[in-house]
């Protein structure tokens, strides 16, 4: 049976990226050897790295002055790399969920951290609005899409100080104005690649302002100067990232995928709002286009396990919500086709017919 992968991450990838990745495991771009055993210093891999970075820049519409580096370590490594490189005295953080909180915890090791706003009072079900950002901060940090709670910023915010954003789960899902950001980072395993590669987009002029000594591996300038080849980069995840970016470009780029993502999310949220058995958990105006969180409606709480089994039997994978929210979460990243969302909706409708009071 066809499986529909709604996992939060590692997550669904375009079928063509998986197929081309599989081919490259056996024969890397016609070289006769495997991408798994190729030297990262080879000219063949150099070409992959160059194309991946240039496609990423092109799809993001990256202006002059910004650099892209591809590293290991996941978004979680960026939680401390950012303050290591930028925090001299004080940074501001907006606490919109588990990931934001983890980022804040690491920053506190390096300087003063001011929590400018938080949505913890309502279990992170909304995005705080109209936040005053003091001009004396070294930077301010946001999490644009809250993978666990299903909330998302729908517009780029203005900041008088460098804006740092964890975009692990919504990078390239919608148009964004990169010029508003100093650093954008994320794990690749939500919207770009298999687990193992981490992207960092840096506006170069914000670096080099802290007085502490930086170990080479932690210093963004090392990786910029070495085109992400200071040490061995995650070769295979970068290969598949290239294939994903080629797919996105062929599809029509970010504007096009944004249309599709809006359509998918609207279909699913409309069904959640209509269906008697389910209700959404995030504030309507802050609902994520990528992670759709819902729970059994009042009076239907006892049907949780039943829907998990029911949907599993019909090919739905990975819709169990995070333990902190409970309920269900359907992650509908770029690679999720509209048909996958429709299959889940049909499943919800069938379930309603069987159980609605
Ligand atoms: C998944 C995720 C992370 C953690 O990423 P790792 O690569 O596992 O460290 C951080 N932030 C957000 C928003 C995420 O979705």
């Amino acid at each position: 049976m066809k499986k529909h992968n709604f996992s939060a991450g590692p997550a669904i990838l375009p079928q063509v990226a998986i197929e081309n990745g599989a081919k490259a495991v056996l024969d890397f771009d016609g070289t006769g050897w495997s991408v798994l055993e190729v030297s990262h210093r080879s000219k063949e891999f150099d070409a992959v790295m160059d194309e991946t970075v240039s496609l990423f820049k092109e799809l993001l519409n990256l202006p002059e002055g910004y650099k892209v580096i591809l590293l290991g370590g996941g978004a979680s490594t960026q939680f401390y790399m950012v303050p290591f490189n930028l925090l001299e005295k004080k940074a501001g953080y907006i606490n919109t969920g588990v990931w934001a909180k983890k980022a804040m915890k690491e920053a506190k090791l390096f300087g003063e951290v001011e929590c400018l706003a938080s949505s913890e009072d309502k279990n992170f079900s909304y995005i705080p609005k109209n936040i005053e950002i003091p001009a004396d901060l070294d930077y301010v940090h946001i999490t644009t899409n809250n993978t666990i709670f299903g909330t998302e910023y729908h517009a780029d915010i203005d900041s008088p100080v460098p804006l740092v954003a964890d975009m692990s789960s919504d990078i390239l899902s919608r148009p964004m104005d990169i010029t508003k950001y100093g650093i954008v980072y994320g794990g690749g395993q939500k919207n770009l690649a298999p687990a193992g590669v981490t992207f960092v987009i840096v506006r170069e002029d914000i670096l080099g302002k802290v007085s502490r000594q930086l170990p080479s591996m932690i210093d963004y300038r090392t990786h910029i100067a070495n085109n992400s080849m200071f040490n061995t980069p995650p070769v295979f995840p970068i290969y598949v990232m290239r294939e994903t970016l080629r797919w996105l470009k062929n599809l029509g780029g970010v504007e096009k995928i944004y249309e599709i993502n809006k359509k998918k999310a609207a279909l699913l949220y409309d069904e959640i709002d209509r269906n008697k058995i389910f209700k959404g958990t995030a504030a309507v105006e802050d609902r994520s286009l990528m992670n759709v969180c819902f729970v059994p409606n009042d009076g239907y709480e006892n049907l949780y396990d039943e829907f998990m089994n029911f949907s599993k039997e019909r090919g739905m994978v990975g819709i169990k919500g995070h333990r902190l929210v409970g309920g269900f979460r359907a992650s509908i990243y770029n690679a999720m086709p509209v048909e996958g969302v429709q299959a889940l909706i049909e499943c919800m409708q069938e379930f309603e017919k069987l159980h609605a009071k």
Side-chain angles (χ1 to χ4, degrees):
M1 190 208 322
K2 166 113 183 90
K3 298 279 189 228
H4 301 285
N5 183 5
F6 293 96
S7 303
I12 188 167
L13 287 167
Q15 189 58 31
V16 63
I18 293 172
E19 281 165 13
N20 291 346
K23 279 183 204 150
V25 167
L26 299 174
D27 181 6
F28 166 46
D29 289 359
T31 55
W33 53 342
S34 171
V35 68
L36 300 181
E37 56 185 5
V38 71
S39 164
H40 63 293
R41 307 276 176 213
S42 64
K43 72 175 188 330
E44 291 88 354
F45 183 70
D46 235 4
V48 173
M49 178 67 99
D50 282 352
E51 186 184 343
T52 307
V53 169
S54 79
L55 278 170
F56 196 46
K57 285 179 167 173
E58 181 186 336
L59 288 162
L60 286 163
N61 208 358
L62 215 61
E64 282 290 303
Y66 285 84
K67 293 285 188 278
V68 168
I69 47 180
L70 301 176
L71 311 171
S76 302
T77 293
Q78 296 309 309
F79 294 167
Y80 68 81
M81 251 173 107
V82 165
F84 228 124
N85 282 270
L86 301 185
L87 181 48
E88 183 72 14
K89 283 205 177 78
K90 190 159 85 166
Y93 276 69
I94 299 176
N95 182 15
T96 50
V98 169
W99 299 118
K101 222 169 160 170
K102 288 191 173 176
M104 206 167 8
K105 175 172 181 258
E106 300 304 307
K108 283 176 185 161
L109 299 170
F110 299 88
E112 199 185 323
V113 168
E114 191 179 333
C115 180
L116 301 175
S118 169
S119 52
E120 194 161 15
D121 57 336
K122 291 186 183 162
N123 198 30
F124 300 117
S125 59
Y126 69 101
I127 300 285
K129 315 276 178 342
N130 305 318
I131 298 148
E132 284 280 325
I133 299 173
D136 66 340
L137 300 173
D138 295 321
Y139 66 91
V140 62
H141 180 283
I142 63 172
T143 311
T144 50
N145 183 65
N146 298 282
T147 323
I148 293 175
F149 299 93
T151 62
E152 185 176 17
Y153 286 79
H154 292 300
D156 301 303
I157 66 171
D158 288 304
S159 165
V161 298
L163 180 60
V164 176
D166 175 356
M167 289 200 192
S168 294
S169 51
D170 64 347
I171 187 75
L172 292 179
S173 68
R174 60 184 168 90
M176 62 168 183
D177 180 2
I178 271 281
T179 63
K180 301 217 183 227
Y181 298 86
I183 290 183
V184 172
Y185 67 84
Q189 70 274 23
K190 296 352 187 312
N191 240 345
L192 298 175
V197 59
T198 307
F199 64 88
V200 187
I201 304 157
V202 199
R203 204 180 81 208
E204 247 186 318
D205 66 300
I206 68 171
L207 300 177
K209 307 234 162 110
V210 288
S211 52
R212 73 176 61 84
Q213 299 265 320
L214 299 173
S216 309
M217 273 297 285
I218 310 277
D219 190 336
Y220 289 125
R221 291 170 301 182
T222 306
H223 300 287
I224 292 170
N226 291 280
N227 290 324
S228 308
M229 300 268 203
F230 173 70
N231 71 320
T232 316
V235 170
F236 184 60
I238 290 171
Y239 186 90
V240 180
M241 179 172 168
R242 181 190 75 175
E243 296 304 311
T244 304
L245 297 176
R246 281 180 171 179
W247 165 83
L248 182 56
K249 185 179 169 176
N250 287 338
L251 194 78
V254 173
E255 292 289 342
K256 179 70 185 176
I257 201 76
Y258 181 49
E259 288 309 312
I260 300 171
N261 287 336
K262 279 195 292 192
K263 180 177 168 196
K264 288 183 306 193
L267 284 170
L268 191 48
Y269 284 120
D270 283 352
E271 178 59 22
I272 290 166
D273 293 341
R274 189 209 59 77
N275 194 308
K276 291 197 184 75
I277 312 270
F278 305 102
K279 66 173 180 186
T281 53
V284 171
E285 72 275 15
D286 300 323
R287 282 173 162 180
S288 167
L289 292 183
M290 297 282 100
N291 309 96
V292 177
C293 295
F294 55 107
V295 293
N297 213 341
D298 306 338
Y300 292 102
E301 293 85 350
N302 59 328
L303 290 177
Y304 179 78
D305 288 337
E306 198 148 342
F307 185 68
M308 281 305 295
N309 291 331
F310 186 86
S311 57
K312 193 173 165 196
E313 281 164 9
R314 282 155 187 79
M316 309 303 140
V317 177
I319 65 160
K320 190 174 167 38
H322 192 276
R323 68 198 145 77
L324 293 171
V325 192
F328 311 103
R329 169 175 52 176
S331 297
I332 50 173
Y333 297 118
N334 284 357
M336 169 61 67
V338 178
E339 299 75 59
V341 173
Q342 273 158 346
L344 175 58
I345 290 171
E346 272 164 36
C347 180
M348 293 163 78
Q349 290 174 345
E350 256 185 78
F351 193 71
E352 185 188 36
K353 284 202 189 99
L354 289 174
H355 295 286
K357 290 181 251 198

